[in-house]
């Protein structure tokens, strides 16, 4: 997995995502092994494509979420760096006798995103499967990412784009182990395949989908003045209907009880700030 030396540095300018890590799965059973565990269909992925997936608890809550892309005969997993060791350990727990080798490549590989310009053709890159407005994710050795202008320091700009598109971030907007995929909009963000076979937590996710019983979701909210604190209670009158997530400028994300919004006559507020709520997908 390489990007050719001498890449034209004018081709792309990228943001280095310092909070990401890369795991590698090798072995003849790698795809089947991972596909049987996670929410999206890994078997469908072609070279140059990426999938968004989660590993759930048996109760259907998100324990880990990540991106997966083919690399030669194996797979690369782009995950939250704070979770990389635990994810590798959990995957190893499920491995049993499968021909799968799991290694942490974070010392050798980094993750960047490029939004305005596509990465060089020879880069290991894929369109962010969650939303076209999030651009491309690029995985490579740090010195090769330097060749496409990948620099740290632009993550706030990238986060603002993510928030404006209504895409919540695990570990930022919600805690692992507390949130169902529908609440985190994974069904809208191409993170759940409802036609694939069984995986951990699948019965809960399918039941929510087919019964239409997702009562809470992350939605975009607007406000004036200072951004409300992440975790602050969102209310209608004296009734708590959810809590704030991350914000950028005058836009934020909030996990709200949609059933309590229907027919509400009082304003939606957080502390003394009135929120405008946008239900539509960006």
């Amino acid at each position: 997995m390489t990007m050719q030396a001498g890449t034209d540095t004018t081709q792309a300018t990228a943001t280095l995502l310092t909070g990401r890590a890369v795991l590698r799965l090798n072995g003849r059973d790698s795809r089947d092994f991972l596909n049987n565990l996670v929410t999206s269909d890994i078997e469908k992925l072609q070279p140059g494509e990426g999938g968004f997936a989660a590993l759930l608890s048996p109760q259907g809550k998100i324990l880990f979420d990540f991106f997966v892309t083919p690399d030669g005969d194996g797979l690369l997993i782009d995950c939250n760096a704070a979770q990389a060791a635990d994810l590798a350990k959990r995957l190893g727990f499920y491995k049993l006798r499968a021909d799968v080798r799991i290694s942490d490549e974070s010392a050798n590989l980094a993750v960047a995103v490029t939004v305005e310009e596509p990465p060089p053709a020879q880069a290991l890159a894929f369109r962010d499967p969650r939303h076209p407005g999030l651009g491309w994710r690029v995985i490579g050795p740090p010195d090769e990412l330097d060749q496409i202008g990948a620099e740290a320091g632009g993550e706030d700009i990238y986060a603002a784009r993510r928030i404006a598109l209504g895409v919540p971030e695990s570990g930022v907007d919600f805690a692992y182990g507390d949130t169902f995929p529908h609440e985190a909009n994974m069904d809208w963000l191409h993170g759940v395949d409802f036609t694939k076979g069984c995986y951990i937590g699948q019965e809960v996710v399918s039941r929510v989908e087919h019964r239409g019983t997702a009562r809470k979701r992350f939605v975009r909210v607007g406000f004036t003045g200072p951004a409300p604190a992440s975790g602050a209670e969102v209310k209608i009158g004296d009734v708590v209907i959810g809590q704030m997530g991350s914000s950028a400028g005058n836009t934020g994300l909030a996990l709200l009880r949609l059933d309590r919004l229907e027919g509400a006559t009082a304003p939606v507020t957080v502390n003394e700030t009135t929120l405008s709520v946008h239900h539509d997908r960006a």
Side-chain angles (χ1 to χ4, degrees):
M1 191 226 87
T2 60
M3 290 184 279
Q4 296 176 3
T7 298
D8 181 357
T9 57
T10 64
Q11 284 189 293
T13 299
T15 296
L16 193 65
L17 298 182
T18 57
R20 306 299 290 182
V22 180
L23 303 180
R24 184 188 298 277
L25 270 60
N26 279 120
R28 69 174 182 272
D29 297 331
S30 295
R31 282 203 183 212
D32 186 59
F33 162 74
L34 191 61
N35 198 57
N36 289 336
L37 296 177
V38 303
T39 55
S40 63
D41 195 337
I42 306 304
E43 298 283 7
K44 294 179 180 178
L45 292 176
Q46 300 298 315
E49 295 180 344
F52 179 46
L55 178 59
L56 308 179
S57 70
Q59 294 75 32
K61 294 189 176 182
I62 300 168
L63 297 179
F64 306 89
D65 64 345
F66 42 80
F67 301 91
V68 184
T69 190
D71 182 34
D73 294 331
L75 299 167
L76 294 181
I77 295 177
D78 160 6
C79 65
N80 185 319
Q83 282 206 309
D86 287 341
L87 176 56
K89 183 177 179 181
R90 180 63 65 100
L91 293 175
F93 174 78
Y94 288 118
K95 186 166 69 72
L96 301 177
R97 296 184 180 181
D99 181 12
V100 180
R101 296 177 298 281
I102 304 161
S103 59
D104 190 335
E105 298 293 323
S106 303
N108 306 310
L109 298 175
V111 180
V113 291
T114 175
V115 175
E116 302 300 338
E117 298 291 339
Q122 63 269 30
L124 196 156
F126 56 90
R127 289 299 300 255
D128 191 314
R130 298 173 297 176
H131 194 291
L134 290 173
W136 294 262
R137 299 181 78 89
V138 189
I139 300 175
D143 59 339
E144 294 185 355
L145 293 183
D146 286 345
Q147 297 175 25
I148 63 168
E151 298 178 350
E155 292 177 272
D156 287 348
I157 297 173
Y158 181 72
R161 180 182 291 268
R162 172 184 66 76
I163 292 165
L165 294 172
V167 179
E169 185 84 3
S170 53
V172 176
D173 294 299
F174 61 91
Y176 294 105
D178 283 347
T179 306
F180 293 105
H182 283 81
E183 294 174 347
N185 297 339
M186 287 194 69
D187 55 327
W188 292 354
L189 300 172
H190 311 291
V192 182
D193 189 310
F194 293 103
T195 63
K196 65 172 285 188
C198 294
Y199 55 86
I200 299 168
Q202 184 255 354
E203 289 186 6
V204 177
V205 177
S206 293
R207 185 164 61 247
V208 171
E209 175 70 10
H210 295 305
R211 293 182 180 176
T213 53
R215 295 187 302 175
K216 295 190 292 183
R217 279 193 185 272
F218 273 97
V219 298
R220 291 176 296 128
V221 296
F223 49 84
T224 58
S230 180
E233 291 182 340
V234 179
K235 298 181 178 181
I236 295 177
D238 294 328
V239 178
V240 176
I241 65 165
Q243 63 183 34
M244 285 294 300
S246 55
S247 300
N250 296 120
T251 303
L253 297 174
L255 179 61
L256 301 183
R257 282 281 300 267
L258 302 183
D259 56 333
R260 292 182 178 173
L261 282 170
E262 295 178 3
T265 55
V268 179
T269 62
V270 54
N271 298 324
E272 302 299 320
T273 301
T274 299
L275 302 179
S276 58
V277 180
H278 307 281
H279 295 271
D280 57 308
R281 305 188 205 183

